[in-house]
Amino acid sequence: MKLKNQLLQPCFLLALRFLALVLWSFPGARALDNGLALTPTMGWLHWERFMCNVDCQEEPDSCISEKLFMQMAELMHSDGWKDAGYKYLCIDDCWMAPKRDSKGRLQADPKRFPNGIQSLANYVHSKGLKLGIYADVGNKTCAGFPGSFGHYDIDAKTFADWGVDLLKFDGCYCDSVEHLENGYKRMSLALNRTGRSIVYSCEWPLYMWPFREPNYTEIRQYCNHWRNFQDVYDSWQSIKSILAWTSSNQKRIVHVAGPGGWNDPDMLVIGNFGLSWDQQVTQMALWAIMAAPLLMSNDLRQISPQAKALLQNKDVIAINQDPLGKQGYRLRKEDNIEVWERPLTDLAWAVAMVNLQEIGGPRFHTISLASLGQGMACVPDCTITQLLPVKSKLGFYEWTSDLKIKINPTGTVLLRLAAN
């Protein structure tokens, strides 16, 4: 009898693994049906690094202008960013002229964008990239430029006529929750009516939370990705606060994400000034685990080789872009060590261990492989590869094994567990 049980055990474990695959493959809520963002959007967005700098006389190399975006487009094309998957070059706030034109259309600031947005879109497209633009659901943008309230249809048509491929739609200067919700829905429908493929990036839940819990099932039906929390800053405190909010609310948001619709924890600030190397590793690893849009906000003209290599890391990007499309989540937190995990295709799992302690040196953490992936991550055995902070093949492990890992303060070790 004992021998029979030993023979049956591997079959039983494999059956459980297959069942786990079936369960993870169930589709989530119905997504916006525009065929876009089947994996998280990747690209570059100007806001965190360049903000609303409109002084091209004093700061010609860092003001919001067609020159800046053309330089970034050239670098995205020539320096491997496009080939790594970063294809959307996105304009944020402060591109507009102070007033609409005589026909009620938005227009670019004529001094900073002398050739207009359509010309810029043509240039971006010539580099094999796509152009994103910014507008606001309310009466004004957050920086005080013309908002889209009362102009949703004409603005959608304008963007389509210009050749825009993504719209980031902010939520400032709304006078009611109803105005906010209806505006986001109306712009979604207006974009679809243009017939052009335009990724729709919303900030709807971010502006809803102060009033009531957002209806994420509904938001997913109208948006390709959506911001939930405050703007990212170039600081470790900001990254920590985003991760804390996400893990505290994961029961509300994780199940909604999937092909066509994603939770957006905001921009990657890797390659800037505020994060240590280990903290940059943490942001890259956790944004991959969270199936987050990877929208860099940095200066590609000045980025270090180390930051560039991290942002272009093919193994980490593959986790972020995994076609199963399941967002990861925090499994547990103990003694300032967090363990996050994400199911991947082919019965693989990504696991991130984060050391949140900000005093002392590297710490060791031991995990039981039987505790990962709802018990199925290493059944009956698996091969483990460390992807970050450096790539290393850790070898073959059985389901009953423990794994001991050393993690730097504020750093992360990212692993991939592959079924054998």
Side-chain angles (χ1 to χ4, degrees):
M1 180 64 73
K2 184 176 180 180
L3 176 61
K4 182 178 180 181
N5 288 342
Q6 289 174 339
L7 291 172
L8 287 174
Q9 187 179 39
C11 297
F12 175 68
L13 293 175
L14 288 171
L16 284 178
R17 181 182 277 273
F18 176 75
L19 178 60
L21 173 64
V22 172
L23 293 174
W24 276 114
S25 299
F26 282 160
R30 185 166 62 88
L32 172 62
D33 187 21
N34 62 4
L36 303 174
L38 298 182
T39 59
T41 304
M42 295 177 62
W44 184 92
L45 178 63
H46 92 242
W47 184 257
E48 194 287 325
R49 180 62 187 262
F50 295 95
M51 301 183 67
C52 191
N53 184 354
V54 296
D55 190 349
C56 290
Q57 184 171 347
E58 290 293 324
E59 301 181 74
D61 293 327
S62 58
C63 67
I64 308 310
S65 64
E66 68 179 26
K67 174 186 173 183
L68 176 69
F69 293 102
M70 290 174 72
Q71 288 178 339
M72 294 302 166
E74 172 57 35
L75 288 168
M76 288 175 72
H77 169 73
S78 63
D79 282 11
W81 300 104
K82 181 188 72 172
D83 294 339
Y86 296 95
K87 294 185 178 177
Y88 285 84
L89 175 66
C90 300
I91 306 169
D92 209 283
D93 205 347
C94 305
W95 64 271
M96 300 176 193
K99 294 182 179 179
R100 293 175 177 268
D101 69 12
S102 59
K103 296 182 179 180
R105 296 173 298 193
L106 292 172
Q107 52 186 341
D109 182 279
K111 292 183 178 179
R112 293 182 286 116
F113 295 85
N115 297 298
I117 301 299
Q118 186 170 3
S119 174
L120 178 59
N122 290 339
Y123 180 80
V124 169
H125 294 156
S126 76
K127 300 297 180 181
L129 302 167
K130 297 179 182 294
L131 183 69
I133 207 162
Y134 170 100
D136 193 286
V137 71
N139 293 297
K140 293 187 288 186
T141 73
C142 297
F145 292 89
S148 291
F149 179 66
H151 299 85
Y152 300 124
D153 290 300
I154 192 172
D155 287 356
K157 185 177 186 305
T158 298
F159 297 146
D161 289 345
W162 285 345
V164 165
D165 305 292
L166 179 150
L167 173 62
K168 177 181 175 180
F169 210 40
D170 215 334
C172 286
Y173 294 100
C174 272
D175 54 16
S176 70
V177 171
E178 289 72 26
H179 168 179
L180 183 80
E181 291 186 312
N182 291 335
Y184 274 105
K185 294 175 186 178
R186 287 190 60 183
M187 180 55 87
S188 179
L189 297 172
L191 291 172
N192 281 349
R193 282 195 295 270
T194 68
R196 182 169 181 81
S197 295
I198 300 177
V199 172
Y200 188 35
S201 176
C202 300
E203 309 224 345
W204 181 352
L206 169 64
Y207 290 91
M208 278 295 297
W209 270 111
F211 303 100
R212 61 173 180 260
E213 182 174 336
N215 181 340
Y216 281 99
T217 301
E218 182 177 54
I219 289 168
R220 180 177 166 83
Q221 292 173 9
Y222 289 95
C223 304
N224 290 120
H225 34 91
W226 47 87
R227 284 274 309 285
N228 295 308
F229 191 59
Q230 62 194 23
D231 287 3
V232 69
Y233 281 57
D234 187 14
S235 77
W236 175 235
Q237 182 60 42
S238 176
I239 301 301
K240 282 197 303 181
S241 67
I242 291 170
L243 294 176
W245 187 94
T246 302
S247 58
S248 297
N249 291 277
Q250 60 187 18
K251 290 183 179 179
R252 296 181 175 96
I253 67 171
V254 165
H255 72 281
V256 184
W262 311 97
N263 291 294
D264 181 5
D266 210 7
M267 297 160 277
L268 293 168
V269 293
I270 295 164
N272 289 325
F273 307 96
L275 301 183
S276 71
W277 170 244
D278 285 295
Q279 292 159 4
Q280 292 178 73
V281 167
T282 293
Q283 189 185 27
M284 191 68 184
L286 271 295
W287 264 235
I289 290 282
M290 293 188 293
L294 300 182
L295 296 171
M296 306 177 290
S297 191
N298 49 25
D299 192 341
L300 300 180
R301 299 166 299 188
Q302 301 175 358
I303 194 165
S304 71
Q306 188 181 40
K308 179 180 177 182
L310 176 60
L311 287 162
Q312 293 189 6
N313 187 304
K314 293 181 180 180
D315 295 316
V316 182
I317 290 172
I319 288 175
N320 175 265
Q321 297 287 297
D322 187 81
L324 184 62
K326 295 293 183 181
Q327 180 173 335
Y329 49 85
R330 190 180 73 181
L331 179 64
R332 62 177 175 269
K333 179 179 181 179
E334 53 188 14
D335 193 24
N336 270 330
I337 299 286
E338 292 187 345
V339 178
W340 294 63
E341 62 181 16
R342 178 183 175 184
L344 306 173
T345 50
D346 299 326
L347 300 175
W349 285 80
V351 175
M353 287 177 283
V354 189
N355 178 6
L356 294 176
Q357 187 159 297
E358 298 179 25
I359 189 171
R363 303 171 65 204
F364 284 95
H365 184 71
T366 300
I367 55 173
S368 165
L369 297 182
S371 71
L372 300 175
Q374 301 184 357
M376 295 293 107
C378 199
V379 172
D381 46 52
C382 61
T383 299
I384 302 180
T385 304
Q386 177 181 298
L387 304 181
L388 291 175
V390 293
K391 188 170 183 179
S392 174
K393 292 185 178 181
L394 302 186
F396 174 87
Y397 287 81
E398 295 183 338
W399 181 52
T400 55
S401 302
D402 290 337
L403 180 66
K404 187 176 182 180
I405 294 291
K406 184 170 74 171
I407 319 165
N408 289 342
T410 69
T412 294
V413 172
L414 180 65
L415 307 172
R416 188 179 190 276
L417 281 62
N420 290 315

